[in-house]
Short mmCIF file of all heavy atoms in Angstrom, two decimals:
data_model
loop_
_atom_site.label_atom_id
_atom_site.label_comp_id
_atom_site.label_asym_id
_atom_site.label_seq_id
_atom_site.Cartn_x
_atom_site.Cartn_y
_atom_site.Cartn_z
N ILE A 1 -16.00 -43.15 35.98
CA ILE A 1 -17.43 -42.89 35.76
C ILE A 1 -18.15 -43.22 37.07
O ILE A 1 -18.16 -44.36 37.52
CB ILE A 1 -17.97 -43.77 34.62
CG1 ILE A 1 -17.21 -43.49 33.31
CG2 ILE A 1 -19.48 -43.52 34.42
CD1 ILE A 1 -17.54 -44.41 32.17
N ASP A 2 -18.77 -42.20 37.70
CA ASP A 2 -19.38 -42.39 39.01
C ASP A 2 -20.35 -43.60 39.10
O ASP A 2 -20.26 -44.42 40.00
CB ASP A 2 -20.11 -41.12 39.44
CG ASP A 2 -19.14 -39.98 39.72
OD1 ASP A 2 -17.97 -40.26 39.92
OD2 ASP A 2 -19.61 -38.82 39.70
N GLY A 3 -21.26 -43.69 38.13
CA GLY A 3 -22.25 -44.76 38.14
C GLY A 3 -21.60 -46.13 38.07
O GLY A 3 -22.04 -47.10 38.72
N VAL A 4 -20.55 -46.21 37.27
CA VAL A 4 -19.84 -47.52 37.11
C VAL A 4 -19.02 -47.82 38.38
O VAL A 4 -19.00 -48.94 38.88
CB VAL A 4 -18.96 -47.50 35.87
CG1 VAL A 4 -18.13 -48.80 35.77
CG2 VAL A 4 -19.81 -47.35 34.59
N SER A 5 -18.32 -46.82 38.89
CA SER A 5 -17.50 -47.00 40.06
C SER A 5 -18.32 -47.50 41.25
O SER A 5 -17.90 -48.39 41.99
CB SER A 5 -16.82 -45.67 40.44
OG SER A 5 -16.02 -45.83 41.59
N ALA A 6 -19.52 -46.94 41.43
CA ALA A 6 -20.40 -47.36 42.53
C ALA A 6 -20.85 -48.82 42.36
O ALA A 6 -20.91 -49.56 43.36
CB ALA A 6 -21.63 -46.46 42.59
N ARG A 7 -21.05 -49.22 41.12
CA ARG A 7 -21.46 -50.61 40.86
C ARG A 7 -20.32 -51.59 41.17
O ARG A 7 -20.53 -52.64 41.75
CB ARG A 7 -21.91 -50.77 39.41
CG ARG A 7 -23.26 -50.15 39.12
CD ARG A 7 -23.62 -50.19 37.66
NE ARG A 7 -24.98 -49.70 37.42
CZ ARG A 7 -26.08 -50.46 37.49
NH1 ARG A 7 -25.96 -51.76 37.77
NH2 ARG A 7 -27.25 -49.94 37.28
N LEU A 8 -19.10 -51.21 40.80
CA LEU A 8 -17.95 -52.09 41.09
C LEU A 8 -17.74 -52.21 42.57
O LEU A 8 -17.42 -53.32 43.09
CB LEU A 8 -16.70 -51.52 40.42
CG LEU A 8 -16.70 -51.50 38.89
CD1 LEU A 8 -15.42 -50.88 38.34
CD2 LEU A 8 -16.87 -52.91 38.32
N ALA A 9 -17.94 -51.13 43.32
CA ALA A 9 -17.80 -51.18 44.77
C ALA A 9 -18.84 -52.10 45.39
O ALA A 9 -18.57 -52.86 46.33
CB ALA A 9 -17.93 -49.78 45.38
N ALA A 10 -20.06 -52.07 44.83
CA ALA A 10 -21.15 -52.94 45.32
C ALA A 10 -20.85 -54.41 45.04
O ALA A 10 -21.13 -55.29 45.87
CB ALA A 10 -22.47 -52.53 44.66
N VAL A 11 -20.25 -54.68 43.88
CA VAL A 11 -19.85 -56.06 43.55
C VAL A 11 -18.81 -56.56 44.55
O VAL A 11 -18.90 -57.66 45.07
CB VAL A 11 -19.28 -56.16 42.12
CG1 VAL A 11 -18.74 -57.55 41.86
CG2 VAL A 11 -20.36 -55.81 41.10
N SER A 12 -17.82 -55.67 44.83
CA SER A 12 -16.78 -56.05 45.76
C SER A 12 -17.34 -56.40 47.15
O SER A 12 -16.96 -57.40 47.75
CB SER A 12 -15.75 -54.90 45.88
OG SER A 12 -14.66 -55.28 46.67
N ARG A 13 -18.28 -55.56 47.64
CA ARG A 13 -18.89 -55.81 48.94
C ARG A 13 -19.68 -57.13 48.95
O ARG A 13 -19.58 -57.92 49.89
CB ARG A 13 -19.82 -54.64 49.33
CG ARG A 13 -19.09 -53.36 49.73
CD ARG A 13 -20.00 -52.40 50.39
NE ARG A 13 -21.11 -51.99 49.52
CZ ARG A 13 -21.07 -50.98 48.65
NH1 ARG A 13 -19.96 -50.25 48.54
NH2 ARG A 13 -22.12 -50.69 47.91
N MET A 14 -20.46 -57.32 47.89
CA MET A 14 -21.28 -58.53 47.82
C MET A 14 -20.43 -59.79 47.86
O MET A 14 -20.69 -60.75 48.59
CB MET A 14 -22.13 -58.47 46.53
CG MET A 14 -22.88 -59.72 46.19
SD MET A 14 -21.93 -60.78 45.04
CE MET A 14 -22.74 -62.36 45.29
N ARG A 15 -19.33 -59.76 47.08
CA ARG A 15 -18.46 -60.93 47.02
C ARG A 15 -17.72 -61.14 48.34
O ARG A 15 -17.56 -62.29 48.82
CB ARG A 15 -17.46 -60.80 45.86
CG ARG A 15 -18.12 -60.91 44.51
CD ARG A 15 -17.13 -60.68 43.37
NE ARG A 15 -17.74 -60.86 42.07
CZ ARG A 15 -17.12 -60.66 40.91
NH1 ARG A 15 -15.81 -60.32 40.90
NH2 ARG A 15 -17.75 -60.83 39.75
N ALA A 16 -17.28 -60.06 48.97
CA ALA A 16 -16.53 -60.16 50.23
C ALA A 16 -17.40 -60.75 51.34
O ALA A 16 -16.87 -61.43 52.25
CB ALA A 16 -16.02 -58.79 50.63
N HIS A 17 -18.70 -60.54 51.29
CA HIS A 17 -19.59 -61.01 52.36
C HIS A 17 -20.24 -62.38 52.00
O HIS A 17 -21.08 -62.85 52.74
CB HIS A 17 -20.70 -59.98 52.62
CG HIS A 17 -20.21 -58.75 53.32
ND1 HIS A 17 -19.80 -57.63 52.66
CD2 HIS A 17 -20.03 -58.50 54.65
CE1 HIS A 17 -19.42 -56.72 53.52
NE2 HIS A 17 -19.53 -57.20 54.74
N SER A 18 -19.81 -62.95 50.90
CA SER A 18 -20.35 -64.25 50.51
C SER A 18 -19.88 -65.33 51.47
O SER A 18 -18.81 -65.25 52.07
CB SER A 18 -19.89 -64.61 49.08
OG SER A 18 -20.25 -65.94 48.78
N LYS A 19 -20.72 -66.36 51.62
CA LYS A 19 -20.36 -67.50 52.48
C LYS A 19 -19.36 -68.43 51.76
O LYS A 19 -18.70 -69.26 52.39
CB LYS A 19 -21.60 -68.30 52.85
CG LYS A 19 -22.57 -67.52 53.74
CD LYS A 19 -23.79 -68.33 54.08
CE LYS A 19 -24.74 -67.55 54.97
NZ LYS A 19 -25.97 -68.34 55.30
N LYS A 20 -19.27 -68.26 50.44
CA LYS A 20 -18.34 -69.12 49.67
C LYS A 20 -16.97 -68.52 49.63
O LYS A 20 -16.76 -67.35 49.25
CB LYS A 20 -18.88 -69.31 48.25
CG LYS A 20 -20.20 -70.09 48.16
CD LYS A 20 -20.60 -70.30 46.73
CE LYS A 20 -21.91 -71.08 46.65
NZ LYS A 20 -22.33 -71.27 45.22
N GLU A 21 -15.98 -69.31 50.00
CA GLU A 21 -14.59 -68.82 50.01
C GLU A 21 -14.13 -68.43 48.62
O GLU A 21 -13.42 -67.43 48.43
CB GLU A 21 -13.69 -69.91 50.57
CG GLU A 21 -12.26 -69.45 50.81
CD GLU A 21 -11.42 -70.50 51.48
OE1 GLU A 21 -11.96 -71.35 52.21
OE2 GLU A 21 -10.18 -70.50 51.26
N ALA A 22 -14.56 -69.22 47.60
CA ALA A 22 -14.13 -68.93 46.24
C ALA A 22 -14.65 -67.56 45.79
O ALA A 22 -13.97 -66.85 45.05
CB ALA A 22 -14.63 -70.00 45.30
N THR A 23 -15.85 -67.20 46.23
CA THR A 23 -16.43 -65.91 45.88
C THR A 23 -15.71 -64.77 46.58
O THR A 23 -15.44 -63.71 46.01
CB THR A 23 -17.93 -65.87 46.19
OG1 THR A 23 -18.60 -66.93 45.51
CG2 THR A 23 -18.56 -64.54 45.78
N GLN A 24 -15.35 -65.00 47.84
CA GLN A 24 -14.60 -64.00 48.61
C GLN A 24 -13.28 -63.68 47.93
O GLN A 24 -12.80 -62.53 47.95
CB GLN A 24 -14.36 -64.51 50.03
CG GLN A 24 -15.60 -64.71 50.86
CD GLN A 24 -15.32 -65.40 52.19
OE1 GLN A 24 -14.19 -65.47 52.62
NE2 GLN A 24 -16.36 -65.90 52.81
N GLU A 25 -12.65 -64.68 47.34
CA GLU A 25 -11.33 -64.51 46.76
C GLU A 25 -11.35 -63.61 45.52
O GLU A 25 -10.30 -63.09 45.11
CB GLU A 25 -10.76 -65.90 46.35
CG GLU A 25 -10.42 -66.73 47.59
CD GLU A 25 -9.96 -68.15 47.21
OE1 GLU A 25 -10.00 -68.47 45.98
OE2 GLU A 25 -9.55 -68.92 48.11
N ILE A 26 -12.52 -63.41 44.90
CA ILE A 26 -12.57 -62.52 43.72
C ILE A 26 -13.19 -61.17 44.03
O ILE A 26 -13.51 -60.41 43.13
CB ILE A 26 -13.36 -63.22 42.56
CG1 ILE A 26 -14.77 -63.57 43.02
CG2 ILE A 26 -12.66 -64.46 42.08
CD1 ILE A 26 -15.67 -64.04 41.87
N ALA A 27 -13.28 -60.86 45.33
CA ALA A 27 -13.84 -59.55 45.73
C ALA A 27 -12.96 -58.38 45.25
O ALA A 27 -13.44 -57.30 45.03
CB ALA A 27 -14.01 -59.52 47.26
N ASN A 28 -11.65 -58.64 45.13
CA ASN A 28 -10.72 -57.55 44.77
C ASN A 28 -10.68 -57.31 43.25
O ASN A 28 -10.00 -56.38 42.81
CB ASN A 28 -9.31 -57.86 45.28
CG ASN A 28 -9.25 -57.83 46.80
OD1 ASN A 28 -9.97 -57.04 47.43
ND2 ASN A 28 -8.39 -58.63 47.39
N THR A 29 -11.39 -58.11 42.50
CA THR A 29 -11.46 -57.91 41.04
C THR A 29 -12.91 -57.86 40.61
O THR A 29 -13.41 -58.70 39.85
CB THR A 29 -10.71 -59.04 40.29
OG1 THR A 29 -11.26 -60.32 40.72
CG2 THR A 29 -9.24 -58.99 40.51
N PRO A 30 -13.64 -56.87 41.12
CA PRO A 30 -15.10 -56.80 40.85
C PRO A 30 -15.48 -56.58 39.39
O PRO A 30 -16.63 -56.84 39.01
CB PRO A 30 -15.55 -55.61 41.70
CG PRO A 30 -14.32 -54.75 41.81
CD PRO A 30 -13.18 -55.70 41.89
N HIS A 31 -14.52 -56.12 38.56
CA HIS A 31 -14.83 -55.89 37.13
C HIS A 31 -14.80 -57.18 36.35
O HIS A 31 -15.24 -57.22 35.19
CB HIS A 31 -13.86 -54.91 36.54
CG HIS A 31 -12.44 -55.41 36.51
ND1 HIS A 31 -11.68 -55.66 37.66
CD2 HIS A 31 -11.63 -55.73 35.44
CE1 HIS A 31 -10.50 -56.10 37.32
NE2 HIS A 31 -10.43 -56.15 35.99
N ARG A 32 -14.26 -58.23 36.95
CA ARG A 32 -14.19 -59.52 36.22
C ARG A 32 -15.37 -60.40 36.60
O ARG A 32 -15.83 -60.39 37.74
CB ARG A 32 -12.88 -60.25 36.60
CG ARG A 32 -11.63 -59.53 36.17
CD ARG A 32 -10.41 -60.34 36.56
NE ARG A 32 -9.15 -59.60 36.30
CZ ARG A 32 -7.96 -60.00 36.73
NH1 ARG A 32 -7.88 -61.12 37.46
NH2 ARG A 32 -6.88 -59.29 36.43
N PHE A 33 -15.84 -61.18 35.62
CA PHE A 33 -16.90 -62.14 35.89
C PHE A 33 -16.34 -63.27 36.73
O PHE A 33 -15.13 -63.51 36.77
CB PHE A 33 -17.48 -62.71 34.59
CG PHE A 33 -18.05 -61.66 33.67
CD1 PHE A 33 -18.07 -61.88 32.31
CD2 PHE A 33 -18.60 -60.50 34.18
CE1 PHE A 33 -18.61 -60.93 31.45
CE2 PHE A 33 -19.14 -59.54 33.32
CZ PHE A 33 -19.15 -59.76 31.95
#
């Protein structure tokens, strides 16, 4: 679903650029809380 896929990609980017290492580690699983 395009709208959902774009949101998951945005979550991944946000987490990858976080200053917190723990947040960076969950960038590859953006669908999980």
Side-chain angles (χ1 to χ4, degrees):
I1 302 172
D2 291 342
V4 174
S5 180
R7 287 174 174 274
L8 294 178
V11 174
S12 185
R13 287 194 300 271
M14 172 265 162
R15 290 177 177 177
H17 289 92
S18 172
K19 294 180 180 180
K20 295 183 179 179
E21 187 176 333
T23 303
Q24 295 172 16
E25 291 175 356
I26 58 172
N28 292 328
T29 53
H31 65 294
R32 296 180 186 170
F33 300 152

